[in-house]
């Protein structure tokens, strides 16, 4: 399409508008001033000024994860771009669609070590799905469209568009509009129907089936979660989920065994270990899920559905690969299953459930309640009970609190759980909550945090205040980098090297210094009231929940162990653990 | 001699490390800036081995290039390499010439030798046996041009070693599947 000439910056904003972008998370600087000038002169796209570029990317991830739409980031060259790298890597590992626009020094200065020059395309090559350096203003618009296509199609991921300052200023009359299809990048959505038939037959003949679902089901969209629920209901099969996949099926459904993996439930891990047919949907056999590979589900036939062919047979050999989108494949599976000839082996399934119930009866998440101190698990349970009706968006930081949140907060719906799974980035939760709150201004958004993690992006309280985003930061304050301390207990004979969080700020005063609300709870009997006060507030809140300091998170499959070698809370009768190499 | 990299870290558990084999992989890519860096970066980032790599435009318009990579790995690693290459955005097609049927593989080398006067004739004789062309000749030296399979070139260079080998340059492997089909 040809129109009257526009500057590169104007073309960029126009293209973003065409693509339906309504918000950008960003931070200005010399190399993006022409773009900021365009932002100033329009009203369709909102700009949220963060306080650190890493937070801009996490906010975009929170926005993306909670809406299913791509998140958009704008940062300057050099330090702006390098600050964004952690966020991009996070989005890469968790397959979150993000488009990150970076300013670059003018074309003629590239390669001269100019002021605030960094080789952004080079640096971000390994932590993006794809990236572009725009050298010709005529190509800018089509590159922006292509970048959104790449970020959102197939397995989603972050895409960087590096735009030199002179390209932002030069004019062009070339404006791309409408849909774009990529010449070589065309992900396969429909699964091979023969393989799907075979999968259904395998599942129908299973005596001890299990469904293991992951973030791919969430990424595929709400339809995939709906179809998965239908499939579970139809078959009566037990289902477990990865950290990233929570919410695809209801956390309170009796078929749901809880999360699997390193801090997964006894029933989920044992069922994975003993199953005879496994249906893996949009998960990737991550090492935190599988434990020691040669001990992972040794007797099962494995079916793996994934949109990314490279996820299949990467670490675990599978018997039946199906490349395709979760929703498309589930739809076909349901069709084939319903076509009559297939039904589960009822008798065997009943026996299997009896077995699973004995594992469930082990009540692996039990902990010893105390009345002189708040147990962290209890804090999450109360938070869940007192907020579940409002269907909040829950984000987390990284550590024990994250695992307790995953274990004790039950999600009814997909897209309500925002956590850094693959990269495990401390400092993710607050900006992600901000991103979710921007997308859902009237919803309750809570960051379940640790006192160490929250300090990594605490400056974002200022962002929350500026835009009136009433995010709630619920800190399980154990005064330790609890997860590190737990590993030191386990692998380093309790030598707590540098894992005590000394010189902590007074979180109540800290909240107040930002103009937010600070709340503290120290005793179990004041917890409910304090939580009610938090959710009643229409302002951002930092809740300093003082919890038992030395509580460890169980069950735990130690690094290098198999699923059947779990450590349970009451350690006396935990099953044999043979030890293993520690990979923090 | 060609680009060489050690396997960095262990990719897979011990059981999957059996049966390592050499594969020649052809990759057709969009001829855009940075595409070679992406391909090479994938190999170094994920700890795959590159034994040889060649790249040049493969159409008249210069729109696409063909990269030929010789790599080694277990069947699972080779499958991973191909899948990982395939998901790079500018990659159009990936073929495994070792698996997908018979293929022709050739490499070209220029080999400079400075033999003692009494060995000059011997060097020439060996070159002839290998059907190498003499592309430069001075009083004290030759440059031979030799084409063939990797093993043939290695054999030729080894023989020349005893006759005053000075330096060798090899192009790396170029390969095509036999028959009329196109990748
Ligand atoms: C950026 C970053 N640095 C270091 C780590 C390693 N790490 C994992 S958990 C953890 C401790 C987190 O402490 P806290 O936020 O208090 O959570 P807790 O485990 O006490 O609940 C650390 C340091 C990490 N995941 N991310
Ligand atoms: Mg802590």
């Amino acid at each position: 399409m040809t129109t009257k000439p526009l500057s590169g910056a104007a073309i960029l904003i126009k293209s973003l508008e065409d693509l339906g972008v309504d918000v950008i998370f960003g931070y200005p600087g010399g190399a993006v001033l022409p773009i900021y000038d365009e932002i100033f002169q329009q009203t369709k796209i909102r700009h949220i000024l963060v306080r650190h570029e890493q937070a801009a990317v996490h906010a975009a991830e929170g926005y993306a994860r909670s809406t299913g739409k791509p998140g958009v980031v704008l940062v300057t060259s050099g330090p702006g771009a390098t600050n964004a790298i952690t966020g991009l890597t996070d989005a890469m590992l968790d397959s979150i669609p993000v488009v990150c626009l970076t300013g670059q020094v003018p074309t003629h200065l590239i390669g001269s070590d100019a002021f605030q020059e960094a080789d952004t395309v080079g640096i971000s090559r390994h932590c993006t799905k794809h990236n572009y350096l725009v050298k010709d203003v005529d190509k800018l618009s089509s590159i922006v469209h292509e970048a959104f296509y790449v970020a959102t199609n197939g397995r989603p991921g972050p895409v960087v568009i590096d735009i030199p300052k002179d390209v932002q200023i030069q004019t062009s009359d070339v404006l791309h509009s409408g849909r774009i299809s990529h010449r070589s990048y065309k992900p396969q959505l429909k699964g091979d129907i023969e393989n799907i038939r075979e999968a259904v037959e395998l599942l129908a003949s299973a005596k001890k089936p299990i469904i293991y679902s992951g973030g791919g089901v969430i990424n595929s969209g709400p339809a995939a979660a709906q179809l998965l629920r239908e499939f579970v209901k139809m078959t009566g099969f037990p289902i477990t989920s990865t950290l990233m996949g929570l919410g695809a099926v209801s956390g309170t459904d009796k078929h749901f065994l809880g999360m699997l993996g390193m801090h997964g439930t006894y029933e989920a891990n044992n069922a994975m270990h003993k199953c005879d047919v496994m249906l893996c949907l949009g998960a990737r056999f991550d090492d935190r899920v599988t434990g020691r590979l040669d001990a992972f589900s040794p007797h099962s036939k494995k079916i793996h559905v994934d949109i990314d062919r490279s996820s299949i047979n990467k670490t675990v050999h599978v018997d039946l690969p199906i490349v395709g989108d979760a929703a498309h494949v589930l739809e076909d599976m349901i069709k084939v299953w319903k076509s009559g000839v297939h039904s589960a082996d009822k008798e065997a399934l009943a026996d299997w459930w009896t077995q699973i119930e004995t594992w469930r009866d082990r009540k692996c998440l039990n902990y010893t309640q105390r009345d002189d101190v708040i147990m962290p698990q209890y804090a999450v349970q109360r938070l869940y009970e007192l907020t579940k009706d409002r269907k909040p968006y829950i984000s987390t930081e990284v550590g024990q609190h994250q695992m307790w949140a995953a274990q004790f907060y039950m999600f009814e719906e997909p897209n309500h759980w925002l956590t850094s799974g693959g990269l495990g980035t401390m400092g993710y939760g607050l900006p992600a909550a901000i991103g979710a709150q921007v997308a859902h201004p009237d919803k309750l958004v809570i960051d379940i945090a640790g006192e160490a993690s929250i300090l990594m992006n605490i400056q974002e309280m200022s962002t929350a205040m500026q835009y009136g985003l009433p995010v709630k930061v619920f800190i399980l304050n154990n005064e330790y980098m609890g997860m590190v301390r737990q590993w030191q207990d386990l692998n380093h004979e309790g030598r707590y090297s540098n894992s005590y969080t000394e010189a902590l700020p007074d979180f109540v005063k800290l909240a107040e210094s930002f103009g937010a609300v600070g709340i503290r709870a120290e005793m179990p009997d004041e917890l409910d009231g304090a939580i009610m006060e938090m959710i009643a507030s229409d302002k951002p809140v930092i809740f300093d929940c003082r919890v038992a300091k030395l509580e460890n998170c169980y069950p735990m499959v130690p690094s290098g162990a198999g699923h059947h070698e779990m450590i349970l809370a009451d350690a006396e009768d935990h099953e044999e653990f043979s030890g293993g190499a520690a990979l923090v | 001699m060609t680009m060489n990299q050690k396997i960095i870290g262990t990719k897979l558990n011990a059981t999957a490390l059996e049966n390592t084999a050499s594969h020649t992989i052809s990759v057709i890519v969009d001829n855009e800036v940075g595409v070679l860096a992406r391909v090479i970066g994938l190999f170094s980032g994920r700890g795959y081995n590159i034994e040889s790599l060649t790249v040049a435009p493969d159409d008249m318009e210069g729109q696409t290039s063909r990269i030929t990579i010789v790599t080694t790995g277990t069947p699972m690693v080779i499958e991973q390499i191909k899948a990982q290459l395939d998901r790079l955005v500018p990659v159009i097609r990936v073929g495994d010439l070792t698996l997908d049927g018979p293929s022709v593989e050739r490499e070209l080398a220029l080999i400079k030798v400075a033999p003692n006067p009494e060995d000059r004739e011997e060097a020439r004789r060996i070159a002839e046996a290998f059907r190498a062309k003499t592309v430069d000749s001075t009083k004290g030296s030759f440059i031979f041009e030799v084409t063939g399979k990797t093993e043939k070139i290695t054999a030729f260079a080894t023989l020349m070693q005893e006759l005053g080998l000075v330096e060798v340059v090899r192009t790396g492997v170029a390969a095509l599947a036999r028959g009329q089909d196109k990748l």
Side-chain angles (χ1 to χ4, degrees), chain A residues 28-324:
Chain A
V32 284
L33 285 182
I35 301 172
Y36 271 89
D37 202 39
E38 285 299 326
I39 289 176
F40 190 83
Q41 298 176 54
Q42 55 85 50
T43 52
K44 289 196 179 133
I45 300 178
R46 194 170 173 212
H47 179 272
I48 303 289
L49 177 68
V50 294
R51 301 304 191 260
H52 188 293
E53 290 87 350
Q54 180 193 349
V57 187
H58 293 326
E61 289 183 89
Y63 176 92
R65 193 88 182 150
S66 68
T67 60
K69 296 199 288 181
V72 183
V73 176
L74 170 60
V75 298
T76 192
S77 66
T82 55
N83 271 350
I85 293 296
T86 300
L88 293 169
T89 312
D90 193 272
M92 184 71 177
L93 279 180
D94 284 344
S95 308
I96 312 292
V98 167
V99 174
C100 178
L101 311 159
T102 57
Q104 183 54 276
V105 300
T107 321
H108 68 277
L109 288 180
I110 291 180
S112 69
D113 297 324
F115 178 63
Q116 295 196 327
E117 179 183 1
D119 175 8
T120 302
V121 165
I123 293 170
S124 65
R125 191 172 291 130
H126 294 271
C127 61
T128 53
K129 183 171 170 187
H130 196 50
N131 60 18
Y132 302 86
L133 171 62
V134 186
K135 285 190 159 164
D136 176 356
V137 67
D138 288 343
K139 299 215 172 104
L140 179 59
S141 178
S142 62
I143 287 178
V144 173
H145 277 80
E146 186 180 307
F148 275 76
Y149 172 85
V150 170
T152 53
N153 280 269
R155 181 176 178 176
V159 175
V160 162
I161 312 176
D162 200 25
I163 314 174
K165 193 169 181 181
D166 54 332
V167 174
Q168 299 168 29
I169 295 165
Q170 283 156 15
T171 59
S172 164
D173 53 11
V174 188
L175 202 57
H176 183 92
S177 74
R179 282 183 59 81
I180 200 156
S181 76
H182 195 274
R183 176 162 120 87
S184 55
Y185 187 71
K186 292 190 171 64
Q188 181 180 337
L189 296 177
K190 293 280 275 180
D192 180 274
I193 192 70
E194 275 317 308
N195 285 357
I196 290 175
R197 282 211 185 90
E198 207 179 310
V200 168
E201 262 158 44
L202 206 56
L203 287 164
S205 71
K207 306 226 175 295
K208 295 186 269 181
I210 191 158
I211 303 169
Y212 147 46
S213 87
V217 177
I218 312 281
N219 275 336
S220 174
Q226 214 39 59
L227 289 161
L228 179 56
R229 286 165 193 228
E230 189 182 336
F231 190 67
V232 169
K233 202 163 165 209
M234 239 168 65
T235 57
F237 288 174
I239 174 164
T240 177
S241 163
T242 66
L243 182 69
M244 296 309 292
L246 295 176
V249 295
S250 159
T252 54
D253 184 327
K254 66 178 185 350
H255 295 99
F256 184 58
L257 308 185
M259 181 173 75
L260 83 165
M262 185 173 273
H263 293 288
T265 65
Y266 189 66
E267 50 272 31
N269 283 341
N270 271 323
M272 285 292 278
H273 193 73
K274 295 275 161 60
C275 68
D276 66 349
V277 178
M278 174 193 301
L279 171 61
C280 168
L281 286 166
R284 59 187 175 90
F285 297 94
D286 173 85
D287 57 277
R288 295 283 137 133
V289 158
T290 61
R292 197 174 73 238
L293 276 177
D294 57 13
F296 175 69
S297 193
H299 313 297
S300 60
K301 286 239 183 279
K302 300 176 184 72
I303 305 161
H304 188 180
V305 180
D306 206 295
I307 197 156
D308 178 3
R309 178 160 79 95
S310 76
S311 279
I312 295 174
N313 282 333
K314 181 163 63 182
T315 54
V316 170
H317 177 78
V318 300
D319 303 278
L320 186 54
I322 299 174
V323 178

Side-chain angles (χ1 to χ4, degrees), chain A residues 514-527:
Chain A
F514 282 107
V517 175
I519 298 174
R520 177 170 296 126
E522 286 171 295
M523 296 303 256
D525 58 4
E526 57 185 15
L527 185 60

Side-chain angles (χ1 to χ4, degrees), chain A residues 275-546:
Chain A
C275 68
D276 66 349
V277 178
M278 174 193 301
L279 171 61
C280 168
L281 286 166
R284 59 187 175 90
F285 297 94
D286 173 85
D287 57 277
R288 295 283 137 133
V289 158
T290 61
R292 197 174 73 238
L293 276 177
D294 57 13
F296 175 69
S297 193
H299 313 297
S300 60
K301 286 239 183 279
K302 300 176 184 72
I303 305 161
H304 188 180
V305 180
D306 206 295
I307 197 156
D308 178 3
R309 178 160 79 95
S310 76
S311 279
I312 295 174
N313 282 333
K314 181 163 63 182
T315 54
V316 170
H317 177 78
V318 300
D319 303 278
L320 186 54
I322 299 174
V323 178
D325 166 65
H328 284 80
V329 173
L330 274 165
E331 193 178 5
D332 284 342
M333 279 187 142
I334 290 171
K335 259 189 225 147
V336 174
W337 186 280
K338 277 188 181 156
S339 67
V341 278
H342 302 288
S343 67
D345 181 338
K346 293 259 159 51
E347 225 169 283
L349 196 58
D351 287 347
W352 179 226
W353 271 111
T354 309
Q355 167 72 77
I356 290 171
E357 291 304 334
T358 65
W359 290 325
R360 227 180 214 165
D361 287 344
R362 187 68 184 68
K363 302 212 181 311
C364 67
L365 296 178
N366 272 7
Y367 56 93
T368 313
Q369 183 64 286
R370 285 166 56 175
D371 52 17
D372 58 336
V373 64
I374 301 172
M375 296 305 286
Q377 300 94 327
Y378 179 69
V380 178
Q381 275 181 321
R382 292 316 301 158
L383 185 70
Y384 168 64
E385 291 300 337
L386 296 172
T387 61
K388 64 179 177 192
D389 291 343
R390 300 186 46 179
K391 301 206 173 130
Y393 291 88
I394 303 283
S395 72
T396 73
E397 307 290 336
V398 172
Q400 291 179 320
H401 63 274
Q402 176 190 29
M403 293 298 119
W404 282 318
Q407 291 172 340
F408 290 94
Y409 210 104
M410 310 295 167
F411 294 92
E412 287 305 319
E413 284 169 32
N415 299 97
H416 282 61
W417 167 242
L418 321 167
T419 196
S420 169
L423 194 63
T425 313
M426 291 169 71
Y428 169 87
L430 175 53
I434 285 175
Q437 189 83 77
V438 166
H440 311 276
D442 303 324
K443 288 291 172 66
L444 179 61
V445 182
I446 307 172
D447 171 25
I448 298 181
E451 83 295 334
S453 296
I454 194 62
L455 290 180
M456 287 215 177
N457 270 322
I458 191 70
Q459 76 287 345
E460 296 309 317
M461 284 304 291
S462 187
T463 308
M465 288 307 298
Q466 179 177 345
Y467 298 97
L469 303 166
V471 292
K472 315 298 182 217
V473 179
F474 189 76
I475 304 175
L476 298 182
N477 184 351
N478 52 12
E479 293 180 22
Y480 277 99
M481 297 173 195
M483 191 55 94
V484 172
R485 189 196 50 69
Q486 176 165 349
W487 283 60
Q488 289 170 335
D489 263 345
L490 220 71
N491 299 318
H492 302 280
E493 295 163 338
R495 288 184 295 278
Y496 295 164
S497 176
N498 292 278
S499 54
Y500 183 66
T501 346
E502 281 207 35
L504 279 173
D506 177 333
F507 283 109
V508 171
K509 284 192 187 148
L510 185 61
E512 287 162 3
S513 76
F514 282 107
V517 175
I519 298 174
R520 177 170 296 126
E522 286 171 295
M523 296 303 256
D525 58 4
E526 57 185 15
L527 185 60
D528 280 19
I531 291 175
M532 294 310 287
E533 187 189 339
M534 173 178 86
I535 55 181
S537 171
D538 59 359
K539 282 190 167 179
V541 175
I542 297 182
F543 189 120
D544 183 15
C545 186
R546 297 302 185 92

